[in-house]
Structure formats: C-alpha cells, structure tokens
Amino acid sequence: MAISDEPQLLRNGSILLRRRPSATSVNGLFDSSSTVEGESSGEELVKDSSSSDDSVSGDQNIDGNPDQNRVNDISAIQFTYRPSVPAHRRIKESPLSSDNIFRQLQSHAGLFNLCIVVLVAVNSRLIIENIMKYGWLIKTGFWFSSKSLRDWPLFMCCLSLAIFPLAAFIVEKLAQQKCIYEPIAVLLHIIISATAILYPVLVILRSDSAFVSGVTLMLLSCIVWLKLVSYAHTNYDLRALANSIEKGEALPSTLNIDYPYDVSFKSLTYFMVAPTLCYQPRYPRTPFIRKGWVLRQFIKLIIFTGVMGFIIEQYINPIVQNSQHPFKGNLLYAIERVLKLSIPNLYVWLCMFYCFFHLWLNILAELLRFGDREFYKDWWNARTLEEYWRMWNMPVHKWMIRHLYFPCLRSGIPKGAAVLIAFMVSALFHELCIAVPCHIFKLWAFSGIMFQVPLVLITNYLQNKFSNSMVGNMFFWFTFCILGQPMCVLLYYHDLMNRKSKLDQS
C-alpha cells in the first residue's frame, strides 16, 4: 500500500509517522546519493531508540509508478523528519574523548594520514633548508675509506671470538663425561666468559679504530658473553636434573623439559648463530625458507640503513658539531640544541630498531628456520618505563628473566633488589658498548640507565593514580625522545672532541 499524505492516529492517540525506507529521485528533485544519505540519517534517529520504542515504521512500496514514488518521497520528508522527531535518544561520547579514542571500533585512519602529510611536509622543508645551509655532506668514503684499514685488529679479534664457544663446549663435554668436578667446570666457564668480554676491550683500547667498528665489536662480544652464560647455566641445570633422575629423586610436576641432557656441538653451533640469547638443545623450526621474502627484507635493510646513515651525516653531525657542552654552556641554548637534536635522533633510533630487531633478526631466523620470532612487542604502547624495558628487546628480556632475575629470587634476594641488579647489569653493558669505543669512562651511559629506576617508579605511580594509558605513555615518549638519548649524544660527543683536542696538543 502507498504511504498516505497524513499521519495516522493510533488507538492511544499518538501519531504514527510512516515513510519509505528507500527513496528514488524523480525529475531532478533529489538525487540518489542525497536521498540515501538523508534517509540513513533518519534511520540513525530510529536506531538510537530502544527496540520497544518503535516510533517509525517502514512499509515498503514497490511500485513502478514514478508519480506515486514522488508522492511517497515527499510524504516521507514531510512526516519522518519533522521537528518533533527526537534528535537525541542515548548517551554518546565524542570520537576523540579519552573513553572512546582507544576503542578498536573507533578508526583514526584520517588523523594518521594527516600526521603522515604533516611529517612529509615538515621534513621536506628541513631537508631543503639543511642542504641550502650546509650543502651535500655525504662523502664518497661514507661506506668505506682507507682509514678503515686501521680496524684490522678489531676484525681479527671478531674472528677469534669463535674460540670461546669452542672452549665452553670442551668444558661441558668433560663435565658430561664426569672427567672434571662440577666446581671446576663452573670456574672454567667463568674464566672463558670473562675473557670473552675483556679481550675485545683491551684490543679496542690499544687500537686507534673508528667508533662504529669499536661499537660493532663490543656488541658482538657482549652477545657472545650472554650466549656463553646461557649455555653454561642451562647445561648446569640440565646436568643437575639428570643427576636427580639417576638418584631416583622425585621432580616437581610443574617442571616441563622437552629434551634430555645432551652436549652436542651441532646444537651449540646453531645456538651461537641463532637470533636468541637463551640456550636450549632444540628450538621450534619452520618447514622451509622463503627465499623471495628474504630478498625483499634484505632490500629494505639496505634502504633503511642508507636512510639512517643519511640522517646521521646530514643532520645529526652538523647539529652536534655546532653545539656547546650541555652542562657548560647557556641553559636555554643547551635546551634548544637538545630539542633540535631529538627529532633526527629519534628517526635514527627508530630506523636502527626496524633494521636490527625486525629486518635483520627476521632474515637470520628465516635462513636458520628459527620459529620463535617474537623479538619485540608493542613497546610503543608502553604505559610505564617498566613495560618498555620488558617489551622492546625480547631476547635480552628473556635472558634477564631466565639467568638473572629468577635465580636472584630463588637465592632469597627481594624482588626490588633483583630488579635493581638487572638494571645494573644492563647499565654496565651499555657503558661498555659506548665508553670503550670512545675511550671515555665518565659513566654517562651507566648513569642514564640507572636513572631509569626512579622513572620506573614515577611512571608506575602515574599509571596507578590516573588509570589512563595516555599519561604514562606520553611521559615515556617525552623522556625517551628528549631527556635520554639526545643528552647522551651531546655529552659523549663533546667529551670525545675534548679528548681528541688534548691528544692533538700533546
């Protein structure tokens, strides 16, 4: 039946407004898009009400008569969208309110696109301004120069690091065959691991090598040290469990061991090249290698490494070279330098994270068919600094939990002291990786990591007080982008320049 031109009275005296749910334009009065949009708005008004409050009914009229359809459309406009129809029927939050912004149903793709456009526009202007001011600073010897020949001692030291895993394997094999006592095996492992970290330090300090070469060697030596500790600690525990089984002792039901105690050179070799710091005789493996995927990731690695080098040479170096020592110059000038350095430094750090933790570790895992590829979590959503340290570097976090934190708890050390010990170990390795290549020991990196401890307490307090993920996350990004890395870069650079000037004068 057609929709009448007048509203109908119900038995209780209320008015029933009738309309067509879909209208079609006729004679240019309404086009299809505007009609559908208008009706959808009207339908939203109806949907906002509860199911029992059906103030609008939609009797459809499928009629091929254009004149009748036009009458029906006008009738729908006259009665469905009258001023008496309620426009507000339920409680709603604004799309950008704190209760609505983080819901999965709320899309912010448009704002994300706006941020991308702004970043492109701002950084394009900075690139043009930088080139106009400094010119093209990328030199032909950026990737390799004759000065790199000075780094041969470091390269030979890097190759000789393979001796220490071999020595650890020999010790474990002797311990498995019970040719040496357990305390002697532990002592030999301590000597091997300590030598693996001290030997590269001595080589770097006695060589006039490039900073990048020194950092690379120190990172490799630290990785070898962490792997050796895990290898010795895990085999020590497996050996203890095997001895308990031999003696017929009852083991807890919660203990889950998927592999027997066995010292294999093949498993050690795989562990030393695998993208993990925690040793176990067997790992989850993928069925095959995706060669095309590896090639695409490798191309991305080359591109982002070039971008990182471009930012360092073209932006960070001029800013740092034209700055003063942040603790010895004008305070406002130091703040301006730190803020100006924070953005390119953040870009470099993000490129480094993407290149190493995502591209390189996934490439290595694919080539070795290593299955567990959770090398990081969504640390960018960290609400506290404690969450950030738990999520941004999963290989180190798992090593800390397995070989440091829980052993401290099992030894009766309080939880807070165990966390402090973990931060101290992390700070020590950060200091080694930066101070040794710079030949500067002022504990800037160590102090920066230990400064995270009170910041962890502050961010935990803010998170508990406000119960809002935005507060802790914003505080994390502020300390991460401004107070942390840019300040350390300026401090180490100026100390390095002072050291070189003193050497030149002498």
Side-chain angles (χ1 to χ4, degrees):
M1 59 180 292
I3 299 179
S4 60
D5 293 342
E6 298 292 335
Q8 297 180 1
L9 291 176
L10 301 179
R11 294 179 180 179
N12 58 2
S14 61
I15 297 178
L16 174 64
L17 302 179
R18 308 187 65 124
R19 65 179 177 85
R20 282 178 57 87
S22 60
T24 307
S25 61
V26 179
N27 296 331
L29 183 61
F30 301 102
D31 58 15
S32 59
S33 60
S34 62
T35 305
V36 173
E37 182 180 357
E39 290 182 2
S40 64
S41 302
E43 290 174 0
E44 287 181 359
L45 293 177
V46 178
K47 290 179 182 178
D48 287 344
S49 62
S50 60
S51 58
S52 60
D53 186 19
D54 294 333
S55 61
V56 180
S57 65
D59 289 349
Q60 298 184 1
N61 177 29
I62 305 176
D63 195 348
N65 189 351
D67 295 335
Q68 186 65 39
N69 288 339
R70 180 178 180 183
V71 171
N72 294 338
D73 294 338
I74 297 176
S75 176
I77 295 298
Q78 288 177 346
F79 297 109
T80 302
Y81 306 106
R82 294 182 68 91
S84 58
V85 176
H88 308 282
R89 293 178 178 268
R90 64 182 181 184
I91 299 174
K92 291 184 179 181
E93 294 288 342
S94 298
L96 295 180
S97 63
S98 58
D99 295 332
N100 204 27
I101 191 171
F102 289 112
R103 292 180 181 175
Q104 294 182 355
L105 297 178
Q106 182 68 43
S107 175
H108 300 90
L111 292 178
F112 179 78
N113 293 334
L114 174 62
C115 292
I116 295 297
V117 172
V118 172
L119 284 175
V120 171
V122 171
N123 287 278
S124 299
R125 184 192 65 82
L126 291 177
I127 291 174
I128 296 174
E129 179 182 346
N130 180 273
I131 294 177
M132 292 174 61
K133 185 175 182 179
Y134 299 106
W136 187 257
L137 299 178
I138 306 298
K139 301 177 182 179
T140 56
F142 173 73
W143 296 104
F144 179 82
S145 65
S146 59
K147 296 181 180 180
S148 302
L149 298 176
R150 297 179 304 177
D151 301 335
W152 275 109
L154 276 64
F155 179 73
M156 299 304 297
C157 177
C158 179
L159 295 180
S160 63
L161 291 178
I163 298 175
F164 301 104
L166 179 61
F169 169 75
I170 294 174
V171 172
E172 281 300 320
K173 203 66 176 179
L174 294 175
Q176 181 190 25
Q177 298 174 358
K178 299 181 179 180
C179 297
I180 57 176
Y181 295 106
E182 194 67 39
I184 297 178
V186 174
L187 178 61
L188 290 176
H189 277 301
I190 293 175
I191 295 175
I192 292 171
S193 58
T195 308
I197 195 70
L198 293 177
Y199 168 56
V201 171
L202 295 177
V203 172
I204 294 174
L205 293 179
R206 294 175 63 89
S207 303
D208 185 18
S209 59
F211 172 75
V212 176
S213 301
V215 170
T216 303
L217 177 58
M218 284 307 306
L219 287 175
L220 288 176
S221 60
C222 290
I223 291 173
V224 170
W225 186 89
L226 294 172
K227 285 177 177 282
L228 290 177
V229 171
S230 179
Y231 180 71
H233 196 184
T234 302
N235 279 309
Y236 174 85
D237 191 49
L238 289 175
R239 192 160 51 248
L241 293 175
N243 293 333
S244 300
I245 294 175
E246 289 179 1
K247 296 178 182 179
E249 298 178 359
L251 299 178
S253 59
T254 56
L255 188 62
N256 184 16
I257 299 296
D258 298 331
Y259 36 78
Y261 172 57
D262 182 30
V263 179
S264 170
F265 184 75
K266 180 180 179 181
S267 62
L268 173 61
T269 304
Y270 184 85
F271 167 63
M272 294 306 298
V273 296
T276 181
L277 299 175
C278 295
Y279 172 75
Q280 60 192 57
R282 291 192 297 270
Y283 295 93
R285 306 286 294 275
T286 56
F288 55 88
I289 300 175
R290 298 170 293 177
K291 298 180 181 178
W293 184 89
V294 171
L295 179 61
R296 291 193 297 271
Q297 303 306 308
F298 190 74
I299 294 174
K300 291 180 183 179
L301 180 62
I302 296 175
I303 293 174
F304 278 93
T305 303
V307 171
M308 186 166 51
F310 172 78
I311 296 175
I312 292 174
E313 290 291 322
Q314 194 72 30
Y315 289 92
I316 294 183
N317 283 349
I319 294 174
V320 174
Q321 292 171 4
N322 296 330
S323 64
Q324 299 177 358
H325 198 287
F327 290 161
K328 297 180 180 179
N330 186 290
L331 178 60
L332 291 178
Y333 180 82
I335 294 175
E336 187 272 338
R337 289 288 99 180
V338 169
L339 291 175
K340 190 172 183 179
L341 183 62
S342 61
I343 300 303
N345 183 82
L346 176 63
Y347 289 163
V348 169
W349 195 93
L350 292 176
C351 287
M352 181 276 298
F353 170 82
Y354 184 72
C355 288
F356 183 77
F357 285 95
H358 183 73
L359 295 177
W360 172 246
L361 291 184
N362 273 287
I363 290 173
L364 190 59
E366 187 69 22
L367 294 176
L368 297 173
R369 294 171 46 213
F370 187 83
D372 187 4
R373 303 183 184 184
E374 190 184 43
F375 305 121
Y376 58 90
K377 293 183 179 180
D378 57 335
W379 57 266
W380 45 88
N381 292 326
R383 295 168 294 180
T384 64
L385 282 175
E386 184 181 4
E387 287 186 3
Y388 163 74
W389 286 109
R390 290 203 310 262
M391 295 190 299
W392 94 275
N393 189 342
M394 293 306 296
V396 171
H397 173 69
K398 292 177 181 178
W399 188 94
M400 288 285 185
I401 292 294
R402 191 185 193 206
H403 300 292
L404 187 63
Y405 180 73
F406 278 108
C408 288
L409 296 183
R410 286 192 290 266
S411 300
I413 299 176
K415 180 179 178 180
V419 172
L420 185 62
I421 292 174
F423 269 98
M424 290 183 65
V425 173
S426 176
L428 179 62
F429 279 100
H430 279 79
E431 182 69 23
L432 286 175
C433 291
I434 300 177
V436 173
C438 290
H439 300 260
I440 297 173
F441 299 95
K442 292 193 175 181
L443 300 180
W444 296 127
F446 183 88
S447 302
I449 297 299
M450 294 307 298
F451 185 67
Q452 306 290 317
V453 177
L455 291 180
V456 167
L457 300 178
I458 293 175
T459 52
N460 288 339
Y461 170 77
L462 292 175
Q463 180 63 26
N464 295 331
K465 181 176 178 61
F466 296 99
S467 299
N468 189 335
S469 60
M470 287 291 292
V471 176
N473 186 259
M474 290 178 64
F475 188 84
F476 153 71
W477 278 114
F478 177 80
T479 56
F480 180 81
C481 297
I482 298 177
L483 294 182
Q485 297 181 18
M487 182 67 70
C488 285
V489 169
L490 290 177
L491 291 173
Y492 272 106
Y493 172 79
H494 286 287
D495 289 340
L496 185 62
M497 291 297 102
N498 293 335
R499 175 180 174 271
K500 288 184 177 181
S501 62
K502 292 179 180 179
L503 291 177
D504 294 338
Q505 292 177 1
S506 61

